[in-house]
Amino acid sequence: MDRVFKIDEEDEKSCCSHAQETMLKLEKVEERLSNLEKTMERKMEEMKNKILNTNSKIIALMEQQRRSMITPKSEFPIYTTDRLAEINDLISESPNNYMNYAGSIDKVALEKYESLNKALYEATKREGHNFIDYRREVRDAFHKAKNRCYKASAKEKKIKNVDSI
């Protein structure tokens, strides 16, 4: 059985207007999708640029760290006693200035004397021990020595205070 639907003119106009409304809504949806795609592409490009920028910064920092890990060029071993005397004289002129490995608090940095550090490193070198380990150990040794001095002077002051009472 075939059914035949009769559409009157008013129904036809109604259907056409619904179809037009639906088409307009679809066009708006397509426009929004297109805008979203453009926004996503723009944001992805921004993220890509940020990642590339960050990568280049990371690479630069890694290169800087790699360069700092290279052991300094050495003029040592000292072949003459005259040269050893020169180094000794430099230190004896102001020994307090060399009590700071990093050079903070207006003191001369012992770490800036690369050749001396290289010689000390070579003299204490052992398997599995690198220049970074040497620097850490020297800094720790300076720290411990200063603590001993401060503790000793504090004990002396305490004893003097007790004796004076």
Side-chain angles (χ1 to χ4, degrees):
M1 277 211 248
D2 290 331
R3 290 188 186 208
V4 177
F5 292 99
K6 290 188 178 182
I7 299 177
D8 62 5
E9 202 173 298
E10 194 173 306
D11 285 341
E12 187 176 332
K13 286 180 183 177
S14 175
C15 280
C16 286
S17 73
H18 283 304
Q20 285 176 345
E21 286 176 22
T22 304
M23 291 296 287
L24 287 173
K25 288 179 182 177
L26 281 174
E27 286 175 5
K28 287 181 181 179
V29 167
E30 285 178 350
E31 185 180 334
R32 275 194 270 160
L33 280 174
S34 176
N35 288 339
L36 284 173
E37 285 176 349
K38 289 176 186 174
T39 301
M40 285 181 60
E41 286 174 4
R42 184 177 39 83
K43 289 192 177 211
M44 286 177 66
E45 188 65 29
E46 288 174 7
M47 287 177 66
K48 177 183 162 188
N49 290 336
K50 285 180 182 179
I51 289 171
L52 289 174
N53 187 25
T54 302
N55 283 348
S56 63
K57 287 179 182 178
I58 290 171
I59 290 169
L61 286 171
M62 288 174 64
E63 178 62 22
Q64 181 183 3
Q65 187 175 15
R66 185 192 64 77
R67 275 187 259 123
S68 71
M69 292 177 72
I70 296 172
T71 55
K73 183 181 176 190
S74 175
E75 295 177 25
F76 287 85
I78 299 172
Y79 292 109
T80 66
T81 55
D82 291 337
R83 180 67 182 135
L84 183 59
E86 287 176 27
I87 293 172
N88 187 55
D89 290 342
L90 285 173
I91 294 172
S92 66
E93 287 173 6
S94 54
N96 290 335
N97 287 343
Y98 292 93
M99 286 303 292
N100 194 312
Y101 185 76
S104 56
I105 314 173
D106 297 328
K107 295 189 178 201
V108 175
L110 183 62
E111 72 180 348
K112 86 175 190 176
Y113 295 98
E114 293 178 7
S115 298
L116 177 61
N117 277 295
K118 178 68 174 172
L120 293 172
Y121 166 68
E122 291 295 329
T124 60
K125 191 174 182 180
R126 60 187 182 274
E127 189 174 323
H129 189 252
N130 60 32
F131 192 73
I132 293 171
D133 295 332
Y134 158 78
R135 287 177 57 189
R136 183 176 40 253
E137 288 173 1
V138 171
R139 277 195 305 268
D140 289 347
F142 272 90
H143 183 73
K144 288 176 183 176
K146 286 170 68 174
N147 279 346
R148 285 185 195 126
C149 290
Y150 291 133
K151 284 180 183 179
S153 65
K155 274 185 181 180
E156 286 177 15
K157 286 180 185 178
K158 191 174 184 180
I159 290 171
K160 285 181 184 178
N161 288 339
V162 169
D163 288 343
S164 65
I165 296 180

